[in-house]
Amino acid sequence: MKRTTQNIGIIMNGVTGRMGTNQHLLRSIIAIRDEGGIVLPDSRVAMPVPVLVGRSHEKLAALASRTGNPAWTTNLDQAIADKNNSIYFDAQTTGRRFDDVRTAIRAGKHVYCEKPVATSTEQALALYRMAEAAGVKHGVVQDKLWLPGIVKLKTLIESGFFGQILSVRGEFGYWVFEGDVVQPQRPSWNYRKEDEGGIIVDMLCHWRYLLDNLFGPIESVSCLGATHIPRRWDESGDPYDATADDSAYATFQIAGGIVAQFNSSWCTRVRRDDLLTLQVDGTKGSAVAGLRECVCQHYSQTPRPVWNPDIPQPIDFRAGWLNVPDSQTYENAFKAQWRRFLLHVINDEPFPWNLVEGAKGVQLAECGLQSWSQRRWVSVGELR
Ligand SMILES: NC(=O)c1ccc[n+]([C@@H]2O[C@H](COP(=O)([O-])OP(=O)(O)OC[C@H]3O[C@@H](n4cnc5c(N)ncnc54)[C@H](O)[C@@H]3O)[C@@H](O)[C@H]2O)c1
């Protein structure tokens, strides 16, 4: 059968950054190109064609030469004016997103962007309304939903494994080096409030879509933030004041009575199975999901511990869990979502992870910050 290739020009703004380069360009768009594009049911082949956009000629040229020499430019307006580019993608620092996504919507581009969508719920919702009014397709990165560990957890939920789900415990974090002795592994703007940094803004967006999609809508939040490390060193080796929260201790109430507790921290050392673990406890079983693996323990396999610190612990607790096997080939989570967004654009396939869902993430972060500053529970209202 003869296949016709349909090119989809994608403006990739902020592509020289950590997420832009690694997750979105190399592991998603270039990976899809290397596979020969996406074959559609009608035998067309959708081929993403990236246009790299950023500020630095040197960085863009270097990135282009590593990735098969796609087009690149420092002139965003020119890229937007080009009719061959039908999608605008944004992985810039959060504070820059609103203006450029708005420009792209006004130019009639479909838009896809990193989280947080904007720096306020109001702005995030404004983008959603503009995109709907303009009739363009829109989406927000919600990558954790495609992590193999989370996919396995979702399968357990859907199979009724847990009985009644009672609680969820999320542990996220690792030690992010300050930068004086060991190179930091995250950008310095993450630790400056004035540059839209902070772990509450960063991570509560993720917890919103994870909890909403797996367990039900979040009704209220109590959150305590902290800046445990007040001084860090930036990319140039200069010291700066870390003005943003680097840890968040949050509890969420979910419709139906499920309680979810999440510790998020860039100031903790890992002694658990993975950088993110999610323990779910239900009346009939429990499970712990990491990024790739998920282990579970049925009621019938549940040990019966008794408290006695006078003797060595007789139960090997870790031995009592079973691995949930791989039931499919798992592709990179960002790539999996890109594939769905491209199919949404080109073949009108459903894509529920849109700008209003992104706005909900920003809303939860705002509610978390409000809870922290007012030292109280905050209700999470319905967004429409
Ligand atoms: N989905 C996820 O799991 C995930 C993880 C980390 C970060 N993020 C989000 O991705 C976005 C980028 O984060 P990152 O860690 O890649 O940051 P980064 O600092 O590595 O990259 C930011 C990008 O924005 C560009 N930029 C910064 N200031 C600019 C300016 N003044 N003008 C033009 N461009 C500018 C940089 O050149 C770079 O390309 C953030 O919004 C962040 O919240 C998402």
Side-chain angles (χ1 to χ4, degrees):
M1 188 194 312
K2 182 161 166 19
R3 298 203 189 279
T4 52
T5 298
Q6 185 168 340
N7 287 334
I8 315 172
I10 307 174
I11 301 163
M12 300 189 77
N13 197 9
V15 72
T16 57
R18 205 168 55 105
M19 300 309 292
T21 296
N22 297 321
Q23 301 296 358
H24 296 289
L25 184 63
L26 294 174
R27 295 180 196 154
S28 297
I29 298 303
I30 297 296
I32 290 173
R33 284 180 64 79
D34 288 347
E35 283 169 5
I38 301 172
V39 180
L40 302 175
D42 62 7
S43 88
R44 275 178 302 154
V45 175
M47 183 62 78
V49 180
V51 178
L52 317 187
V53 178
R55 290 170 296 172
S56 155
H57 285 79
E58 293 71 34
K59 283 189 190 167
L60 288 166
L63 184 58
S65 78
R66 279 170 68 195
T67 52
N69 291 306
W72 59 267
T73 178
T74 55
N75 188 333
L76 176 62
D77 292 337
Q78 209 174 57
I80 286 184
D82 187 339
K83 295 265 179 295
N84 291 317
N85 300 327
S86 51
I87 296 176
Y88 172 79
F89 170 69
D90 193 300
Q92 297 184 95
T93 48
T94 308
R96 307 190 52 76
R97 189 123 57 238
F98 177 77
D99 285 345
D100 289 341
V101 171
R102 182 176 57 180
T103 303
I105 293 172
R106 284 179 176 159
K109 306 292 172 192
H110 305 300
V111 291
Y112 185 47
C113 65
E114 260 296 352
K115 47 53 63 178
V117 174
T119 55
S120 70
T121 310
E122 199 184 327
Q123 285 198 333
L125 270 181
L127 289 179
Y128 165 67
R129 294 196 184 108
M130 274 186 258
E132 285 287 294
V136 298
K137 291 180 169 148
H138 47 94
V140 177
V141 175
Q142 302 199 330
D143 53 288
K144 310 289 177 270
L145 294 174
W146 285 272
L147 287 172
I150 300 298
V151 173
K152 291 172 188 173
L153 180 61
K154 193 157 192 276
T155 308
L156 288 180
I157 295 170
E158 285 166 356
S159 71
F161 171 81
F162 294 103
Q164 183 196 344
I165 295 179
L166 308 170
S167 63
V168 181
R169 201 175 74 237
E171 290 286 342
F172 164 80
Y174 46 92
W175 191 265
V176 176
F177 283 94
E178 299 88 326
D180 52 346
V181 179
V182 178
Q183 276 281 95
Q185 65 271 49
R186 295 181 60 91
S188 60
W189 66 268
N190 285 178
Y191 303 90
R192 289 189 295 265
K193 198 82 214 154
E194 57 278 22
D195 291 335
E196 318 299 342
I199 203 164
I200 294 177
V201 166
D202 197 330
M203 296 316 296
L204 264 59
C205 297
H206 289 296
W207 308 154
R208 178 73 195 252
Y209 66 74
L210 261 188
L211 292 172
D212 276 6
N213 280 278
L214 265 58
F215 304 103
I218 298 177
E219 292 182 332
S220 58
V221 54
S222 158
C223 179
L224 176 73
T227 306
H228 291 310
I229 307 282
R231 189 172 158 88
R232 291 179 177 270
W233 281 257
D234 68 14
E235 289 75 6
S236 314
D238 297 325
Y240 65 95
D241 291 333
T243 47
D245 42 291
D246 55 22
S247 300
Y249 308 91
T251 308
F252 308 101
Q253 287 182 311
I254 296 174
I258 299 174
V259 178
Q261 282 176 289
F262 271 72
N263 289 327
S264 313
S265 177
W266 289 319
C267 317
T268 185
R269 296 182 177 85
V270 178
R271 196 175 195 281
R272 54 187 129 86
D273 292 340
D274 220 325
L275 301 188
L276 167 66
T277 55
L278 223 60
Q279 171 152 352
V280 181
D281 289 307
T283 51
K284 293 289 175 225
S286 295
V288 182
L291 305 188
R292 300 193 62 83
E293 307 301 332
C294 182
V295 292
C296 62
Q297 184 172 84
H298 188 255
Y299 185 90
S300 60
Q301 301 301 314
T302 306
R304 188 174 168 279
V306 283
W307 184 269
N308 186 357
D310 301 337
I311 57 166
Q313 178 52 252
I315 302 173
D316 180 354
F317 288 110
R318 285 191 174 252
W321 296 77
L322 279 176
N323 241 324
V324 178
D326 290 355
S327 58
Q328 52 174 281
T329 310
Y330 303 93
E331 63 178 349
N332 174 287
F334 291 85
K335 180 176 167 225
Q337 198 182 0
W338 260 110
R339 180 187 299 285
R340 282 166 180 79
F341 186 69
L342 293 172
L343 285 167
H344 178 52
V345 167
I346 205 158
N347 213 33
D348 221 12
E349 293 189 13
F351 191 86
W353 311 281
N354 63 16
L355 282 171
V356 76
E357 294 303 307
K360 287 183 186 174
V362 181
Q363 179 198 29
L364 187 65
E366 272 182 356
C367 291
L369 288 167
Q370 189 187 347
S371 164
W372 177 21
S373 74
Q374 299 176 350
R375 302 179 73 80
R376 68 172 180 88
W377 279 92
V378 172
S379 297
V380 180
E382 203 180 323
L383 280 192
R384 43 179 108 235

